[in-house]
Amino acid sequence: MAGNFLEIVELASGEIVLRRSGDEDNKPLLTLSFSSEAKSFLQGNHLGIAKVMFDAGLNEVSRQGESSARAEDLAEDRVLH
């Protein structure tokens, strides 16, 4: 069942990555890094902010996919009874 879930991990380098949980090569799907100035401004809440940013991105991808599917449905001839 590895790879069915996503996880957010802060690496030793300070980068925050989104990757598939249990992925053997640990290849990140997305990488986010905050400058030390940004981390200071966020007062240690950078992981929470990263989670919100990743969530927003994934929600937008999902929304666009739904819009695209609806547009394809409307482009086809349909018979309604």
Side-chain angles (χ1 to χ4, degrees):
M1 198 136 185
N4 289 336
F5 296 97
L6 299 176
E7 61 186 5
I8 298 171
V9 178
E10 185 172 20
L11 304 177
S13 65
E15 292 180 315
I16 302 166
V17 299
L18 178 71
R19 65 184 185 194
R20 286 187 176 88
S21 128
D23 193 357
E24 292 178 10
D25 65 3
N26 290 328
K27 183 178 176 185
L29 300 169
L30 296 168
T31 303
L32 181 63
S33 63
F34 290 97
S35 69
S36 56
E37 181 181 1
K39 283 182 181 180
S40 177
F41 176 77
L42 295 170
Q43 300 176 352
N45 294 319
H46 61 285
L47 290 176
I49 299 299
K51 181 186 181 310
V52 170
M53 293 171 76
F54 286 138
D55 285 345
L58 292 171
N59 287 335
E60 181 61 18
V61 167
S62 176
R63 189 191 67 74
Q64 287 182 6
E66 291 169 1
S67 294
S68 178
R70 270 187 256 136
E72 288 176 12
D73 287 344
L74 293 175
E76 297 175 8
D77 291 339
R78 298 187 326 175
V79 177
L80 303 175
H81 296 272

